[in-house]
Structure formats: C-alpha cells, structure tokens
Amino acid sequence: VARTLPGERIIYFGDTARLPYGNKSRKTVTRLAVEALRFLEHFRIKAFVVACNSASALAMPVLAAEASVPVLGVVEAGARQAAAATRTKRVAVIGTRATVASRCYEQALAALAPGIEVASAACPLFVPLVEEGWTDHPVTARVAGEYLQPLRDFAPDTLILGCTHYPLLKGVIQTVMGDGVTLIDSGEAMALELQTRLADLECLAETGGGDHRYFVSDQAERFHDEARRFLGDAAPGSVSAVDQSDLPWFDRGAAFQEEQD
Amino acid sequence: VARTLPGERIIYFGDTARLPYGNKSRKTVTRLAVEALRFLEHFRIKAFVVACNSASALAMPVLAAEASVPVLGVVEAGARQAAAATRTKRVAVIGTRATVASRCYEQALAALAPGIEVASAACPLFVPLVEEGWTDHPVTARVAGEYLQPLRDFAPDTLILGCTHYPLLKGVIQTVMGDGVTLIDSGEAMALELQTRLADLECLAETGGGDHRYFVSDQAERFHDEARRFLGDAAPGSVSAVDQSDLPWFDRGAAFQEEQD
C-alpha cells in the first residue's frame, strides 16, 4: 500500500499479543477485529483495510456494519484479481485453516464470475515456517510439495496466496505448482483495490504521504526486526506498543492521536 | 496428574483464544497467566499448577506472589527430575523460544545441583507440527534432526522435553538423540511433584477424585477432539467455553462455581 499509494499515510495495528488468528473461531476473530477497528478509528482514518486473510474471511460482515468508514477486505481484492487473471476458469486457493474452512474465496469468486471452479488447501505450517525464517529450506519445499499435491492434480492456472505470510514463499510455491500458474499476492491486489476505491470516493491523496504509524499489542522490538524481512527498506522507523491489559484498551488510540495533534 | 493422583479433582483452564504463549513477551505472558489464576481461584482450589512451560518460565515470581494457594511450575518439576536422573551432569533442554530465552531451566538446575552443564535449543516448529498431527512424519524427523544436532554434539545423558506438546514427539526425539539419553517429560515430573507437595501439606486426597472440569477461552469443540490425541481415554467428557469479551472475564469462574454448588 505504501508503494502503490505514496500520497497516503498508513496507521497500522498488528495484534501480536493475540495472534495468530488462523486457528481461532469466527466469534473470537470477529471480536478481536472489531477491537482493532475501534482503535484505528481514533486516527481520523478514511478507510479501514483488513490486511489479515483470516479476519477478512470471518469478520467482514460485522466490520462493515460497525465501521464509520469504508472497509476493504483482502479476500475480495484477491478474488477480484484472480477472476481477472484466470483463462481456464480454474483457481486454487491456499490459506490458514480458518480461511479455507470459511469458503470465503469460493463465495467471493462465485459472486464475481460464475463458472469458475475453485479448489483450496489449508497450509497451517507455512506461517510457522516463514516465522522461523525457513523460506528457502528443503523442509519447506517438502511441506509445500505435500500440501500442494491435491492442487497440482486440480491443475489451476491461477493460485491465490491467501495469507499475509505466503508471498515470502512465492519461490517454493511457484516451483511446486509450475511456471504456468499465476500467483495472486492478495496484498498487492488489496493495494490496487484501495487505490481504485479511494479514487472513486474522490479522496485519493497524491501528495503528503508517508510518516506512517505502526502499533502492536506485544513485542514492538521483535516486530520491528521482522518487518525488515517482509518490507525491506520500507520497514517502519519506529513501532509503538499498545497496552491491552484493561478495557476498553482500544480507546488508547485517542491519546496517541492527541499526542500527534 | 489425573493418573497419578486419582483422588483429586482437576479444574483446568486452557487459554485457546490467546495461545500460543511461547512467542510472547514476559509482560504479556504474566498478565495472561495471572488472569488464569484469578479464574481458577474461584473454584476453591488447594494448589495452582502452571502446566505451560512458557508461563512457568516467565510468570512464576508474579504468580507465586499473587496466589492465595501454593503455585507449582512445570519448570521446577522437570529440573528436579533431570537433576536426579543425570549421571554425567550434562543436561539438554528443548522448549519454545520464550522458554529457552528465559534460561529458566539453567537457573533451576544451578539452584538444585551446582555443577550440572546445560545446553538448550528452541524448537519453534515442534508445536505446529504436533498440532498438524505430523508426529510420525518424515518432515518432523528432518526438523528434529536439524534442531537437535547442536544438542547431540553436546552429548547429554538427559534431555528435558520443556513444552506440553513435545511428549507427543518422544519417538522422533529419542531416535535422533539415541537410546542412551533419558527423556524427561515435565508433565509426568509435575504430577509426582504435586503428589509430594500435597502430601507434605497433608491435604492429598485418596478418594473422591475425578469429575474434572475443563474450560477453554475459544473452540471448546476442537479442544475436546484434540484432547483425545494427548490424553486418549482420559480425555474430558465435556469442555466449557469461557467468554473473554469483557473484563474482568475471569470472575466468570464464580458463576461456574455457584452452578456447581
């Protein structure tokens, strides 16, 4: 988003005290996502991006109903890009257990372009493998071979990387699936979708961007180091920790915003 | 504990909405563990067992200060059994990143038996591999080979399985380490320690046990299914979900206890 919309300012919240969301129930993921929305709404935001696939898969209806601004989910963005990319109308999806079980991509693709066939596979070890830094490790190749075998048999021409961590495994996944398969990075898809949406709403900023703010609920320092692996030079200069020890913790956003003003 | 102390009744809380603890900070793990203590204290407990190694490693001083009953940590129990088992005075420890970084086993062993040399290794992929059910999978053997290589070089005669999930990988770990190495299951060690402690306090129950109660903060049904893999026939008959959506959520323990009375 920072690269695609250089005129915008991003306020980011990462719920590191309560992640991962991918193994949790719809009820719990929805509650946690609404709390994140409440926190970020203190910053006079003009749009709310759900950058986590599991939260997009499970919490979108409630978030859209509760939010005071437009809500964009990464699932819808990825599905739209996949629908545009596929020639053979065979799309594969990989994600966490929660994302795959929700069948959100199947529903989004059916709504966008009836007639697309979809196969999906949960890949629960991919996130821990990326967090271990084993993006190029033979174990990861082996795990990918096993998880993706049913999808190879399905023979799609497009595969949606339905989790924030999976783009770091693009190399391994492309090798297993073959060069003929287009990989859809739902983060990139989201950035384009956000650009279009803000332009439609006539509130896309051309200048004055940057000075992004990053908040996490635990381990700000470790987040800062790990962000380098995901973002390279675009990694945040500083990351603030938000205390969640009492409710409503998310109203701490107000104090952070005032400090800014 | 249920097997070793058949006269006792167990009240169990699993924080499935906020797990895993093994990658979180001391501050956050301590807060979550104290909330669990507050919840369980509503049940007129006579001892509080910290069955999670990461929580034992990071939260014990605060838990011991805050609790109204004796607090037993799984780290102390495992260290005591390892100190008794080692002949060569070379003990290896495996655990989560948080447990290993805390150096809690090194400190506990130094306090129990000066002169024991300790080597440790974090094995962050072991928990996700167990949760994926790959306890016998070639990938797991390969990961174990890589994680445990430095410990093989250290040549211990005793290895502490410093995480609740690792006993399910006993077979793989024993194969990598060799038959000459004694594996310490800190859960078993804890059961024996609890027996001794309750006997010392003259409150060990000989009869009237069972009718255990299980609470989790998310996905009660999935917990119930997974418990079968850990506990076999001793798996819980029923599991209750505890809502954490407002504070103090842990005072819900009072209502559950009254319902019982």
Side-chain angles (χ1 to χ4, degrees), chain B residues 5-9 46 203-210:
Chain B
L5 291 86
E8 298 293 350
R9 178 160 186 246
K46 57 187 176 185
C203 65
L204 182 65
E206 303 290 343
T207 57

Coordinates of all heavy atoms in Angstrom, one line a residue, chain B residues 5-9 46 203-210:
Chain B
L5 N -2.8 -39.0 40.6 CA -3.5 -38.6 41.8 C -5.0 -38.8 41.6 O -5.8 -37.9 41.5 CB -3.3 -37.1 42.1 CG -1.9 -36.7 42.6 CD1 -1.0 -36.4 41.4 CD2 -1.9 -35.5 43.5
P6 N -5.4 -40.1 41.6 CA -6.8 -40.4 41.3 C -7.8 -39.9 42.3 O -9.0 -39.9 42.0 CB -6.7 -42.0 41.2 CG -5.6 -42.4 42.0 CD -4.5 -41.3 41.9
G7 N -7.3 -39.5 43.5 CA -8.2 -39.0 44.5 C -8.6 -37.5 44.3 O -9.4 -37.0 45.0
E8 N -7.9 -36.9 43.4 CA -8.0 -35.4 43.2 C -9.0 -35.0 42.1 O -9.2 -35.8 41.1 CB -6.7 -34.7 42.9 CG -5.7 -34.9 44.0 CD -6.1 -34.2 45.3 OE1 -7.0 -33.4 45.3 OE2 -5.4 -34.4 46.4
R9 N -9.5 -33.9 42.2 CA -10.4 -33.3 41.2 C -9.6 -32.1 40.5 O -9.1 -31.3 41.2 CB -11.7 -32.8 41.8 CG -12.6 -32.1 40.8 CD -14.0 -32.1 41.4 NE -14.9 -31.6 40.4 CZ -15.6 -30.4 40.4 NH1 -15.5 -29.7 41.5 NH2 -16.3 -30.1 39.4
K46 N -6.8 -26.0 46.0 CA -5.8 -26.0 47.0 C -4.4 -25.9 46.5 O -3.5 -25.7 47.3 CB -6.0 -27.3 47.9 CG -5.9 -28.6 47.1 CD -6.2 -29.8 48.0 CE -6.2 -31.1 47.2 NZ -6.7 -32.2 48.0
C203 N -2.7 -32.5 52.6 CA -4.0 -32.3 52.0 C -4.2 -33.2 50.7 O -5.0 -32.9 49.9 CB -4.3 -30.9 51.7 SG -3.2 -30.1 50.5
L204 N -3.4 -34.3 50.6 CA -3.6 -35.2 49.5 C -4.8 -36.0 49.6 O -5.0 -36.7 50.7 CB -2.3 -36.0 49.4 CG -2.3 -37.0 48.2 CD1 -2.2 -36.3 46.8 CD2 -1.1 -38.0 48.3
A205 N -5.7 -35.9 48.7 CA -7.0 -36.7 48.8 C -6.7 -38.1 48.2 O -6.1 -38.3 47.2 CB -8.1 -36.0 48.0
E206 N -7.2 -39.1 48.9 CA -7.0 -40.5 48.5 C -8.3 -41.0 47.7 O -8.1 -41.8 46.8 CB -6.9 -41.5 49.7 CG -5.7 -41.1 50.6 CD -4.3 -41.4 50.0 OE1 -4.3 -42.1 49.0 OE2 -3.3 -40.8 50.5
T207 N -9.4 -40.4 48.0 CA -10.6 -40.8 47.3 C -11.4 -39.6 46.9 O -11.1 -38.5 47.3 CB -11.5 -41.7 48.2 OG1 -11.8 -40.9 49.4 CG2 -10.8 -43.0 48.6
G208 N -12.5 -39.8 46.2 CA -13.4 -38.8 45.8 C -12.9 -37.9 44.6 O -13.4 -36.8 44.4
G209 N -12.0 -38.5 43.9 CA -11.4 -37.7 42.7 C -12.3 -37.9 41.5 O -13.4 -38.4 41.5
G210 N -11.8 -37.4 40.4 CA -12.5 -37.4 39.1 C -13.5 -36.2 39.0 O -13.3 -35.3 39.7

